[in-house]
């Protein structure tokens, strides 16, 4: 069954749930209107369906390989990439002065999600480039912008992000890659980086690597780290980028999924690079790139969930087995309550995760457009939730998709298992979901909970308004929000961060559960309480929202008894 | 890190949690004593550590292949299989008159679980043979027993189970394979079967297939099905089994995991077979095999969970990263609260799932020994819970194991991902976990809930006794049991089975959550409330038990709104 881009779902969310209208009322995004937005979504959806989705299986079966030091990509990826680049899908949100379209990030987020549904491995390539464009726009000197931006925006070059080293993963500050100043204002970078997504390819004429490294006078920890942009090819005397830089792909990883995306070990041996941002201040620029990448990864989770859902639904509609347990059924396994439960739950979770994703994107756009503190705070607060819940949902929905297929789900040819393998990485990269949760309960609550409470107030205001007219939805949501408020207050009150960290993951999940209920309620309100979105909201609020209680109870247990068992006792059989 | 068999955990469960002592007080199992039991567990654990665990990765990398119609198995499997057979590990519970050791099934269950930890792909082979032995012991004629049992018990031959056809999966009654009566009392079987685990191998001299098929006068549905045993090789005039039967392996599946276990499409073309049980009554014999296989599969889930847990724990102990957030920590990522939360949760869930598994096995043994209705009912009630919760736990723990590894978890060489791929099938085969849940709320509540209430009474009696001395554990468990009682009463009261089915999966999960809390409490009581098992019980009851509320709320929603969304609305983007 071919993938069908969920364009109308995005339109509905924009128009009725996450208030896209306020974005195009700002000066910054005044040139976007709903027609433009819808035309872009439609066009992108068509491209994904026709160009990317057919490559999903191919990328798995014929993944990227390293041959004599050169990365060979999946057959078809090169052509598809050219179409992505020519369609302008890489640079939708890049600034017009840099050759982009200057569109709201929320539109780009929707397009990226659809591309992630189509072919996750290939989508990762432009996603990385987008992050690099954004980092350069915010932090690079005019010289560096001049050198790199125009090539990245057109897709002639692609970009990567080099943080991780064997001994520096979640703890970036431990990195050992060195940089030295050259006489001409450039730098020489030496060291090894691992897990470099799309570290090389055979379809762009150059690859520019953003590399974190430490100058000789850079202090320990994250504060002594600088950021450099290091291209695969350097310019010759005519300004043509044909001179090989002293960097190479050492090897590609053999991974559980996303075989089409080459994950490289990169070696830099005095490779020439240019500083991005200020010396010793590289983490700031990297965080710009990472924060948006985190939302983008959340969107990958939702995108794979959508594809896995459609795949499972088509199978269920097609699979006839057993007597139908209901009158007037379809005759397929869709008639079975447990199959319905799985499929409806998948759809309800996708709606919730996508709404959180788009709400985060809208907050980002409003922050960009207004520079208002509250919008920045909301975007920052929603980012780890969008990342972790989006990817948890991707994993869960893909798992349920396998289960709907029964025995066929375990057979690779079916394709259901691939979604499950591919999406697994999204809970790990760009900061594991554990790291996202710790970010939420520590940094994102440093405001004493203001950003969190603003969201809770908004939910309760909404629930209050329909507390009588839509009591069966509003009442449980209102109660759940109160429980979440207590849990948030508990978190804020913990002086020892470790007590927060002990419950960080269940807190984030509980927060997302309630927030998802809110957006479902808004969808139901938009429909006047009648229609498919209202029925989906009812399913979510009655059957899935109750999970918040167990999660939030877990969240408030603190760290004490977590360390009660010694490592030896944990190991003792 | 090499796998370490959890022998002491089994001993503790037997002695303090599931009351093994009552088994060896029966006449049937009077020859077993605790010393024998412990010697067997130790010996089996040693064999698993030394012989099977080293083959885990090999089986993944060099899976079974079909070459010119012949299955070639993973290098090392043949030798290991011989050691398994010679050690008597296949026929521990077979009757002494058939060459077995006549040991309680609970001991076999423990050994099988350890073997599943060591190498799931290989363990499946003897597990299938065990099921076949049991089906023959209960249902075969003396002639058939004479022909097959002695060869199966020694492991010279292996056994398979042939139920599924392309159009008959969960709905076995739809099968099309035909059988015809021959003049000599044998039968000719014709048809195609799929998903045949270990459909062939290159290390046993014969393979005997239990095949469900329909005689010409067999009615429609499950009641017209008969069971046949069909060997790969038939006897020649000297009684040597060297004459090829008219059956063959058509192909092997390309699967997500358990690559070492050949999953075959089998073709029978008038293959000669012998009847097992009565004509048209084959499902009864097949259920004998399936019920024990279900418990065995639950044990596979627990076994993989144990191996994945040990693997993740070793990684976490070894992985140094970042500043330690606690004083006096190990310096490894074990010091991080979120890593502790994951690892302790994994261990707590393994304990719960294993206790349910062993409680089910003990009930089976007591049923065998006493033929008491209550014991049969308890074993029947616990079987779907042991299967579904054991395998759900396997999947969840393996997933968490990947997450503990961070980026390394996605790299296949690490081995964490393999556990996750391998164990995924356990929630699907031997009846999906959805089918298990439907069995629980329909067939297993046909007694009006007697078997369920007997368990709930037992839990409350236990909690009541320590309600003051161990209030922090007993009180939440008592409350949870009351909620579970309400949910059980609700289930029993639903006249329309579809209302039960709509909540079957969350009901089973909620039941398992509470039951796990009970066994944790018993462990804590055995320790006097002090010690590592009490700390683990506290973790479970405080942090994981609360999940029961959300699950049971979901369970009691009924089928109504599950069908509110039409297939078209589910599909509408």
């Amino acid at each position: 069954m071919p993938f069908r881009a969920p364009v109308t779902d995005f339109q509905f969310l924009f128009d009725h749930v996450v208030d896209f209208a306020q974005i195009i009322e700002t000066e910054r995004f005044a040139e976007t209107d709903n027609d433009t937005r819808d035309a872009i979504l439609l066009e992108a959806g068509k491209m994904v369906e026709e160009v990317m989705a057919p490559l999903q299986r191919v990328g798995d079966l014929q993944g990227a390989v390293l041959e004599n030091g050169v990365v060979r990509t999946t057959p078809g990826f090169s052509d598809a990439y050219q179409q992505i680049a020519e369609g302008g899908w890489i640079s939708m949100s890049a600034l017009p002065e840099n050759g982009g379209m200057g569109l709201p990030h929320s539109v780009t987020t929707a397009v990226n999600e659809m591309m992630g549904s189509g072919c996750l491995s290939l989508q990762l390539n432009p996603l990385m480039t987008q992050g690099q464009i954004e980092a350069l726009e915010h932090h690079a000197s005019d010289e560096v912008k001049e050198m790199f931006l125009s090539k990245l925006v057109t897709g002639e070059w692609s970009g990567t992000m080099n943080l991780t080293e064997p001994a520096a993963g979640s703890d970036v500050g431990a990195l050992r890659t060195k940089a030295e100043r050259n006489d001409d204002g450039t730098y020489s970078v030496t060291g090894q980086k691992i897990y470099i997504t799309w570290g090389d390819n055979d379809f762009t004429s150059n690859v520019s690597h953003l590399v974190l490294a430490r100058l000789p006078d850079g202090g320990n920890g994250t504060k002594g780290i600088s950021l450099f942009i290091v291209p695969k090819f350097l310019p010759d005397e005519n300004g043509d980028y044909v001179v090989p830089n002293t960097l190479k792909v050492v090897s590609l990883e053999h991974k559980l999924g996303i075989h089409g995306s080459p994950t490289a070990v990169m070696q830099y041996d005095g490779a020439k690079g240019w500083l991005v941002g200020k010396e010793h201040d590289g983490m700031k620029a990297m965080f710009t790139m990472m924060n948006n990448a985190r939302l983008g990864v959340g969107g990958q989770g939702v995108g794979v969930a959508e594809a896995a859902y459609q795949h499972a639904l088509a199978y269920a509609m097609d699979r006839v087995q057993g007597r139908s347990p209901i009158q007037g059924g379809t005759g397929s396994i869709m008639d079975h309550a447990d199959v319905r439960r799985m499929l409806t739950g998948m759809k309800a979770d996708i709606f919730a995760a996508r709404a959180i994703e788009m709400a985060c994107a809208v907050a980002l756009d409003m922050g960009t457009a207004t520079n208002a503190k509250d919008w920045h705070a909301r975007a920052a607060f929603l980012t780890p939730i969008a990342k972790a819940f989006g990817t948890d949902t991707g994993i869960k929905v893909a798992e349920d998709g396998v289960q709907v297929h029964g025995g066929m789900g375990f057979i690779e040819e079916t394709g259901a298992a691939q979604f499950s393998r591919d999406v697994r990485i999204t809970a790990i990269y760009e900061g594991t979901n554990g790291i996202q949760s710790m970010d939420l309960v520590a940094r994102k609550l440093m405001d004493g909970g203001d950003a969190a409470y603003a969201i809770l107030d908004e939910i309760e205001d909404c629930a209050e308004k329909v507390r009588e007219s839509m009591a069966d939805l509003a009442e449980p949501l209102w109660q759940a929000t109160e429980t979440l408020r207590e849990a948030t207050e508990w978190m804020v009150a913990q002086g020892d961060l470790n007590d927060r960290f002990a419950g960080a993951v269940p807190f984030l999940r509980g927060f997302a559960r309630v927030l998802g209920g809110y957006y479902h309620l808004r969808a139901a309100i938009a429909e006047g309480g009648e229609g498919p979105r209202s029925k989906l909201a009812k399913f979510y609020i009655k059957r899935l929202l109750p999970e918040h209680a167990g999660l939030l109870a877990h969240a408030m247990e603190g760290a004490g008894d977590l360390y009660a068992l010694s490592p030896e006792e944990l190991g003792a059989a």
Side-chain angles (χ1 to χ4, degrees), chain A residues 274-290:
Chain A
W274 285 260
L275 184 69
V276 176
K278 293 181 189 153
E279 287 189 349
H280 316 313
D281 200 23
M283 288 305 286
K284 194 195 279 176
M286 195 47 106
F287 265 114
T288 302
M289 184 163 179
M290 274 201 300

Side-chain angles (χ1 to χ4, degrees), chain A residues 57 59 68 100 102 121 142 156 176 298 320 353 371 446 462 485 498 537:
Chain A
R57 281 295 289 148
N68 305 318
S121 289
D142 289 342
E156 287 170 82
R176 289 176 195 170
V320 175
N371 207 24
M446 266 171 52
C462 176
R485 190 182 290 277
N498 226 29

